[in-house]
Amino acid sequence: MNDHGKVKRQEVKMLNRKLLEISGVLNVESFDSEEFLLETECGFLAVKGQNLHIKNLSLEQGLVAIEGLVNGLTYLDSNTHEKTKGFLGKLFK
């Protein structure tokens, strides 16, 4: 597959911290009532909160809707992981 002409695009829309709609989702890696890990066009995205559940899922369209109390969104990439690992490594040396 040739991705040269494909532009990465992702939209994140949240309403009152209770409904989160995300486009550009490739896969749902894992989920429970406190955390979702999504593979997206822009990298892995961790959604943290309370009483989280899937309201709508369409991987064909790349759309996910999550309901519950959203506390945070964090993109996880190798740079973030290395910085955290380096900081903790120095702290516990």
Side-chain angles (χ1 to χ4, degrees):
M1 185 187 313
N2 187 349
D3 288 338
H4 294 294
K6 189 175 181 183
V7 176
K8 292 181 182 179
R9 179 177 169 92
Q10 182 171 40
E11 291 184 15
V12 178
K13 179 177 157 184
M14 185 164 26
L15 178 63
N16 297 331
R17 290 181 60 187
K18 294 180 181 173
L19 176 62
L20 182 64
E21 296 176 346
I22 305 168
S23 68
V25 176
L26 303 173
N27 194 23
V28 177
E29 291 293 319
S30 65
F31 66 94
D32 60 32
S33 64
E34 295 182 349
E35 183 174 17
F36 277 67
L37 180 58
L38 309 172
E39 181 183 1
T40 75
E41 295 277 348
C42 298
F44 284 92
L45 176 63
V47 178
K48 294 189 179 185
Q50 299 170 343
N51 299 318
L52 300 177
H53 62 274
I54 293 177
K55 178 181 179 185
N56 192 8
L57 173 64
S58 174
L59 291 179
E60 294 81 22
Q61 295 178 331
L63 300 173
V64 173
I66 299 171
E67 282 185 320
L69 180 61
V70 177
N71 292 330
L73 303 172
T74 306
Y75 281 95
L76 309 171
D77 55 44
S78 58
N79 294 336
T80 303
H81 179 69
E82 290 300 317
K83 288 178 185 174
T84 304
K85 183 178 173 185
F87 173 73
L88 291 175
K90 291 176 186 175
L91 185 63
F92 292 108
K93 248 185 178 178

